[in-house]
Amino acid sequence: MKILVLNCGSSSIKYKLYDMDDNSVLAAGGVERIGLDEAFVKVTLPNGDKRKIMHDMPDHREGVNFVFSLLTDPEIGAIKSLDEIDAVGHRIVQGGDLFEKSVIVDKSVEDGIESLCDLAPVHNAGHLKGLRAVDKLMPDVPQVCVFDNAFHSTMPDYAYLYAIPYELYEKYHVRRYGFHGTSHRYVSQRVCEYLGRDINTQRIITCHIGNGASVSAVKFGKCVDTSMGLTPLAGVMMGSRSGDIDPSAVTFLMDKLGKKPQEMADFLNKQSGVLGITGISSDMREIESAAAEGNERAALALKMYSYRIKKYIGAYAAAMGGVDIIVWTAGVGENQKGIRLDSCSGLEFLGVKMDEQANMTRGVEAVISAPDSKVTVCVIPTDEELMIAKDTMQLLQDK
């Protein structure tokens, strides 16, 4: 079975084509600048080389159509015909409380995703465009939606509710949803396979730390809390997102800066976080380099960043009555040894003991805690696309 996984944003499409017989990736790439000048696709060739191809793409339908043409291209394609694609799986950021698991797409699913656009206007609108583009171009091919927040649907109400009048939850569905759920689900399962443990006996803290970042508490295979909230803005400090902030600080700054609600949301999402503190970049590699050269604000940002992750690890250990495994994943989590070490430093009281030499690893599965550490700390590279492909295949087989 061959499954195409699509992640459609407002002006982008990321794709991977899997052969599910052995979970191998047959083709991968990313479309950028849909609807804008100088649109292009970056394609990863079978030998690992990358190629940038310019192509005018006024809308998602043309973007999807061009992806399909690349998949069947005689020179760089992976298949001879689109008939070889058995299904398409989509990443959907916001499923609200309508979708608590992956589903096969029909009209009611599309309508449900559209009804949630208020909660994720940019993301869900892009996902819908991708769904409908595939439906127009390949109407007989089944599609599956895998929701970013579905893994977090097992949180108890006392964890996901905000302390605001209850009728606002009932009327507007304002609550903690969480995101990166497909990644948290993948790494919590994979780390137990890697360590040879039963997930139903383990208390796991998963740290998905990239430009966007979130931490989740996974107790006996189920998420019981997560750091992101109604939107991906809440939680730990991120590349350009503020993370947790006093709501009164937001209204205070809106007044001082003369910003409207959406302008303030953009400010907290795109001009804050590490970028806001340093004034340099949202890229942690650049911040580490600047700190090493003596930049005091870069050094401050690194301390703030690690400190906030550490606080969430401690909070979730308390929420679960302890912790057995801490997992690091995503761009920063998989590759930035300094962030991992600083975030785990001071957690010895929980039974965390790091191995600095083992922690030198980058981008591969590894145990980075000391042999006598009571808590096992691991790096597990995430694979959200494979998780989406597996869900898609399972739903079709169960149909």
Side-chain angles (χ1 to χ4, degrees), residues 86-121:
D86 297 289
V88 179
H90 295 263
R91 176 196 178 223
I92 308 295
V93 164
Q94 181 57 275
D97 45 18
L98 292 180
F99 302 103
E100 296 185 347
K101 60 183 179 180
S102 303
V103 295
I104 295 175
V105 177
D106 59 19
K107 182 64 165 56
S108 68
V109 171
E110 287 192 21
D111 290 344
I113 294 170
E114 188 164 25
S115 74
L116 295 165
C117 278
D118 278 353
L119 296 178

Side-chain angles (χ1 to χ4, degrees), residues 205 207 209-210 213 215 235-239 242 273-274 277 284 287-288 291 297-315 326 328 332-333 336-347 354 359:
I205 297 173
C207 303
I209 310 298
V215 182
V236 297
M237 180 179 176
M238 302 174 226
S242 65
V274 172
I277 293 296
M284 293 304 294
I287 303 308
E288 286 189 335
R297 280 169 58 183
L300 172 62
L302 291 176
K303 289 178 181 177
M304 293 174 66
Y305 194 86
S306 298
Y307 178 68
R308 282 154 173 73
I309 296 170
K310 184 188 302 183
K311 284 207 298 183
Y312 266 99
I313 292 173
I326 297 171
W328 292 90
V332 175
Q336 306 298 113
K337 62 182 185 295
I339 296 297
R340 296 192 299 250
L341 189 62
D342 290 347
S343 299
C344 289
S345 176
L347 297 179
M354 294 290 284
N359 186 48

